[in-house]
Amino acid sequence: MHHFNEIFVQLLILLAISMGVIALAKKVNQPYSIALVVVGLLLGLLHIPVLDEAETFITQSNVFQAIIISLFLPILLGDATLKLPFSHLRQQSKPVVALAIGGTFLSFLIIALAMYGIMGLPLPVAFTFAALMSATDPISVISIFKSLGVSKKMVTIIEGESLFNDGIAVVLFQISSVYLLSYIEMGWAGIGSGIWLFLQFSLGGIAIGAILGFLFSQLIRFYDDYPLEIAFSMLLFFGSYFIAEHFHVSGVIAVVVSGLIFGSYGSRIGMSETTKMNINSFWDVITLVANSLIFLMIGLEIKHIDFTDKWALIIASIIIVLIGRTVAVYTSLSFLRKFPSSWKALLNWGGLKGSLSIALALSLPASFEGRDDILVLTFSVVLFSLLAQGLTIKPLVTKLTLSNPVKETE
């Protein structure tokens, strides 16, 4: 009990540090996720005795890594879907579907084949890493877009792509890290089995999410009591995730679908304005805490990663991921003729990697061959993405919107 209290106190200290960093970042109008990563890096590089146990617990404990996946994922996804109006998503359905499905699969295949064929990584490692790199994390990008007044349609596209490609990337990650080798041994039959498993994961997640989203939307019609309705939303997000995982289908897709239905249909038929305001405020706070710990953890992880003799592989993987993203964005959007080129450039450079990639990499069991390589590469790409892309997206937005005004797409 005493040991648990000590860890709790240290986690509280880390939370206090992250809240201080966020407060400062917001004061100077900078994305807090990037500020947290930088502070986490400094804490990881400096030796601070009082934080040692908490750092070890956060970066090395299997318990904490399980918490990251099963606690933080439903929170982050649920919050995002709750606030993304379905009507906005429907208006931008063509670019969102093109990027989330075509773009995700294309970048996954390009990165996987390049890491295997050019860099010589084993197939399961190459494909697992590619799945992690197919997920985008637009937290810092969206805050920059909103502060600069970028079109709501653009924000909807990048948010919608992220929500759906997260679901697809998680399914690809599960298949790549667990089933890939056995499917390869089966030859062509293995490809069919892989596609069937992907459909099972995805369609099962959609079905569970849709049923629960509809049921909870009906439930809140009987109440005008925002504390109770907030509790229902928590139950919905975590219930969707764990019920889907119990039936071996995608928990992430279940949360996305249930959240979209609850946030659009449910709020329309069963939420008062007071409830909407309070439910959004509640999830704002919870998401802020979850994100603060995840982004700080990305920085802290540096102490436990061995970069020796891996610099060539790291640089090559960053270049391959950037090429994969570029080809995926421009190819998947090529059939939308009226889509502005400035938007393509922003979507390409704004496809940051972040908390989901790190959380999934950390969730790999210690027995997974190549886990250390995946951690090094994922950490390095995420770090590059947040610092290099995250810090240059603002001037890029300013330059593109000045030289080629962002127009509303039809």
Side-chain angles (χ1 to χ4, degrees):
M1 188 68 184
H2 176 68
H3 176 65
F4 178 78
N5 284 347
E6 269 185 30
I7 288 174
F8 184 74
V9 167
Q10 289 178 326
L11 282 174
L12 210 55
I13 293 168
L14 282 177
L15 194 58
I17 291 168
S18 62
M19 288 302 133
V21 172
I22 291 171
L24 200 62
K26 283 181 179 285
K27 203 73 183 162
V28 295
N29 202 23
Q30 291 299 321
Y32 71 79
S33 50
I34 297 169
L36 281 167
V37 171
V38 173
V39 171
L41 278 172
L42 293 173
L43 291 177
L45 292 169
L46 300 170
H47 179 68
I48 304 170
V50 73
L51 295 176
D52 273 357
E53 251 185 285
E55 282 183 32
T56 308
F57 179 64
I58 279 181
T59 55
Q60 300 295 292
S61 159
N62 289 331
V63 176
F64 190 79
Q65 285 153 22
I67 289 170
I68 289 288
I69 292 293
S70 55
L71 183 64
F72 288 178
L73 263 188
I75 288 171
L76 298 176
L77 293 164
D79 172 65
T81 52
L82 201 59
K83 292 171 188 161
L84 184 61
F86 187 72
S87 57
H88 290 191
L89 201 57
R90 195 172 57 235
Q91 285 165 10
Q92 301 304 317
S93 58
K94 285 180 183 175
V96 168
V97 170
L99 288 164
I101 298 176
T104 304
F105 278 108
L106 204 51
S107 74
F108 170 68
L109 287 173
I110 291 166
I111 295 165
L113 296 173
M115 294 306 286
Y116 171 68
I118 300 169
M119 304 313 299
L121 289 184
L123 265 177
V125 177
F127 275 79
T128 302
F129 173 69
L132 294 173
M133 292 300 105
S134 298
T136 58
D137 191 350
I139 292 164
S140 34
V141 175
I142 284 170
S143 64
I144 292 167
F145 281 5
K146 285 180 178 172
S147 70
L148 294 175
V150 170
S151 163
K152 276 183 185 175
K153 291 188 175 183
M154 180 66 179
V155 174
T156 301
I157 292 167
I158 205 159
E159 234 176 336
E161 179 211 357
S162 173
L163 277 177
F164 291 106
N165 86 357
D166 283 358
I168 293 167
V170 171
V171 175
L172 291 173
F173 169 79
Q174 289 169 321
I175 292 171
S176 301
S177 59
V178 179
Y179 304 100
L180 187 70
L181 275 181
S182 56
Y183 284 159
I184 288 167
E185 285 166 11
M186 289 163 67
W188 284 108
I191 293 173
S193 301
I195 292 167
W196 172 240
L197 187 67
F198 179 84
L199 290 172
Q200 266 182 294
F201 268 130
S202 308
L203 297 175
I206 290 169
I208 287 171
I211 291 165
L212 290 173
F214 177 77
L215 290 176
F216 274 81
S217 295
Q218 295 301 322
L219 182 63
I220 59 171
R221 293 175 72 176
F222 299 105
Y223 303 93
D224 185 13
D225 182 332
Y226 72 81
L228 182 64
E229 289 173 82
I230 288 170
F232 283 154
S233 71
M234 289 177 72
L235 198 57
L236 172 65
F237 297 151
F238 289 109
S240 300
Y241 184 82
F242 286 108
I243 289 169
E245 291 293 314
H246 174 75
F247 286 107
H248 304 292
V249 297
S250 174
V252 170
I253 291 176
V255 176
V256 168
V257 173
S258 67
L260 277 174
I261 292 171
F262 189 74
S264 291
Y265 173 67
S267 68
R268 194 177 74 245
I269 64 166
M271 282 188 208
S272 65
E273 287 307 312
T274 308
T275 298
K276 284 179 195 172
M277 187 181 71
N278 282 288
I279 210 166
N280 284 339
S281 300
F282 171 82
W283 285 107
D284 279 344
V285 175
I286 301 295
T287 305
L288 189 74
V289 172
N291 270 322
S292 70
L293 283 175
I294 289 176
F295 283 111
L296 196 63
M297 190 182 76
I298 293 171
L300 290 172
E301 188 68 31
I302 194 167
K303 189 184 280 188
H304 304 277
I305 290 177
D306 181 15
F307 291 95
T308 324
D309 303 329
K310 295 216 174 90
W311 290 108
L313 184 61
I314 288 168
I315 292 164
S317 67
I318 290 170
I319 293 166
I320 286 167
V321 169
L322 287 174
I323 291 169
R325 172 70 182 173
T326 304
V327 173
V329 167
Y330 281 88
T331 307
S332 61
L333 294 174
S334 59
F335 73 96
L336 294 172
R337 286 180 190 151
K338 291 185 180 178
F339 201 85
S341 56
S342 59
W343 284 27
K344 288 178 188 172
L346 284 179
L347 283 166
N348 180 28
W349 197 243
L352 270 61
K353 316 299 170 204
S355 48
L356 179 67
S357 302
I358 293 283
L360 288 172
L362 286 169
S363 75
L364 283 169
S367 57
F368 184 85
E369 275 188 54
R371 182 181 190 268
D372 289 346
D373 281 347
I374 285 175
L375 270 179
V376 171
L377 295 178
T378 304
F379 177 83
S380 304
V381 175
V382 168
L383 200 59
F384 171 85
S385 176
L386 287 171
L387 296 180
Q389 291 173 260
L391 291 172
T392 53
I393 194 85
K394 203 169 190 171
L396 182 68
V397 170
T398 311
K399 185 178 184 300
L400 286 172
T401 50
L402 285 175
S403 60
N404 184 7
V406 177
K407 297 169 286 186
E408 301 288 308
T409 54
E410 289 177 13

